[in-house]
């Protein structure tokens, strides 16, 4: 009887590892049996995270080529999937001598000095922060707004697709009476479209990395003893993964964090 308990845990951890799921310890297997809410990050977790530039919309006399070129230069030193998709679309060598300065504004975007011109590339909040007049873009996708010398140049629309098994995952969790929540830094319009396709119980949009931790803590207070699991990227979402009762890091990178 005594030896059967640790053997049960070892059997569970061993069976999971054969399917590519590494469990840190038996206490996490225990916690999983009490899960009442599963919180998902959106990009790369529920969606493939394979971004492609689907449209470039110019404004104020700027051309599509100018918008793409300045955005590609501004994002050239970033490893973010959105930045990579812009670089792939530009598909030319970057002349680093043209870039005088680059500053990443966490949760907003990038400010760079290219050809002695100040270029802003980022989300809607960045345009508001820098007092750049721009249209509201209610489109199903991620929008990167571009402003040159404080003048709005246009936006780049970047699309992502749902993972094939995301809808089925949410359906199976609901069948077990587990609440599903989606957190994303994307705009409300994109979040609403994705949440509708997935039928998640709740969703919260336009979140900075620190906001995700606050939402997890609110959900923990509301759960009344039920455990909460967070599913996300092991690198970007490390603080939230650590805060949840069970952190599930997707993909090969950052799981140790």
């Amino acid at each position: 009887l005594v030896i059967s308990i640790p053997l049960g845990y070892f059997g569970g951890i061993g069976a999971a590892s054969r399917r590519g799921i590494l469990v840190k310890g038996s206490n996490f297997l225990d916690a999983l049996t009490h899960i009442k809410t599963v919180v998902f990050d959106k990009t790369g977790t529920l969606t493939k995270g394979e971004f492609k530039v689907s449209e470039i919309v110019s404004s104020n006399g700027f051309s599509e080529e100018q918008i793409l070129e300045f955005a590609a230069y501004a994002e050239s030193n970033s490893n973010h999937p959105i930045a990579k998709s812009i670089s792939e679309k530009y598909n030319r060598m970057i002349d680093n001598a043209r870039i005088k300065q680059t500053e990443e504004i966490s949760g907003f975007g990038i400010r760079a000095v290219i050809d002695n011109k100040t270029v802003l590339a980022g989300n809607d909040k960045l345009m508001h922060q820098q007092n750049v007049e721009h249209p509201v873009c209610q489109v199903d996708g991620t929008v990167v707004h571009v402003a040159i010398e404080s003048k709005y140049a246009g936006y780049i629309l970047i699309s992502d697709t749902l993972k094939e098994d995301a809808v089925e995952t949410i359906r199976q969790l609901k069948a077990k009476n587990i609440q599903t929540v989606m957190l994303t830094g994307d705009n409300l319009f994109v979040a609403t479209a994705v949440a509708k396709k997935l039928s998640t119980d709740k969703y919260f949009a336009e979140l900075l990395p620190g906001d995700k931790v606050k939402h997890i803590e609110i959900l923990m207070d509301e759960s009344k003893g039920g455990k909460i699991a967070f599913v996300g990227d092991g690198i970007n979402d490390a603080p939230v993964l650590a805060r949840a009762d069970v952190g599930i890091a997707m993909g090969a990178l950052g799981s140790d964090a």
Side-chain angles (χ1 to χ4, degrees), residues 39 41 80 104-109 123 125 183-186 204-217 230 233 235-243:
V39 184
D41 175 50
H80 195 282
E104 189 169 336
I105 305 165
S106 182
F108 292 86
N123 56 21
K125 288 184 281 189
L183 303 181
T184 178
D186 249 329
F204 300 95
E206 298 177 10
L207 303 177
L208 297 173
D211 296 334
K212 291 181 182 179
V213 176
K214 286 177 200 160
H215 277 283
I216 284 284
E217 287 172 344
F230 180 82
D233 175 340
I235 297 171
N236 294 332
D237 296 322
V240 210
L241 287 163
R243 186 67 188 88

Side-chain angles (χ1 to χ4, degrees), residues 40-49 160-167 169-170 181-183 194 198 200 231 250:
F40 294 89
D41 175 50
K42 181 181 79 68
T43 305
T45 304
L46 293 169
T47 65
K48 290 181 180 177
D160 191 9
T161 51
L162 283 176
K163 287 185 177 175
E164 288 84 358
D165 51 3
V167 176
T169 300
I170 301 293
V181 181
M182 182 184 81
L183 303 181
V194 173
L198 292 168
T200 56
V231 189
M250 297 284 287

Side-chain angles (χ1 to χ4, degrees), residues 51-53 67-76 80-92 121-122 144 146 156-158:
F51 294 102
K52 295 259 185 311
V53 172
I67 294 164
L68 182 61
E69 183 181 5
F70 278 110
Y73 269 81
E75 302 273 14
S76 62
H80 195 282
I82 289 172
K84 286 182 178 175
S85 72
I86 292 171
S87 296
E88 281 170 20
K89 179 72 176 173
Y90 182 60
N91 198 24
R92 285 180 221 152
V144 176
V146 179
I156 298 170
L157 180 63
I158 294 158

Side-chain angles (χ1 to χ4, degrees), residues 72-139:
Y73 269 81
E75 302 273 14
S76 62
N77 292 315
S78 174
N79 288 321
H80 195 282
I82 289 172
K84 286 182 178 175
S85 72
I86 292 171
S87 296
E88 281 170 20
K89 179 72 176 173
Y90 182 60
N91 198 24
R92 285 180 221 152
M93 286 288 291
I94 297 290
D95 178 6
N96 285 312
R98 292 175 63 189
I99 307 167
K100 298 289 182 284
Q101 190 185 329
T102 308
E103 179 195 353
E104 189 169 336
I105 305 165
S106 182
F108 292 86
I110 284 175
R111 182 200 287 118
V113 177
I114 300 151
D115 297 338
N116 295 319
K117 291 176 182 169
T118 302
V119 177
L120 299 168
N123 56 21
D124 189 69
K125 288 184 281 189
L126 178 67
M127 296 296 109
H128 285 291
Q129 187 200 51
Q130 301 294 323
N131 297 316
V132 176
E133 282 189 30
H134 65 290
V136 176
C137 301
Q138 294 201 327
V139 287

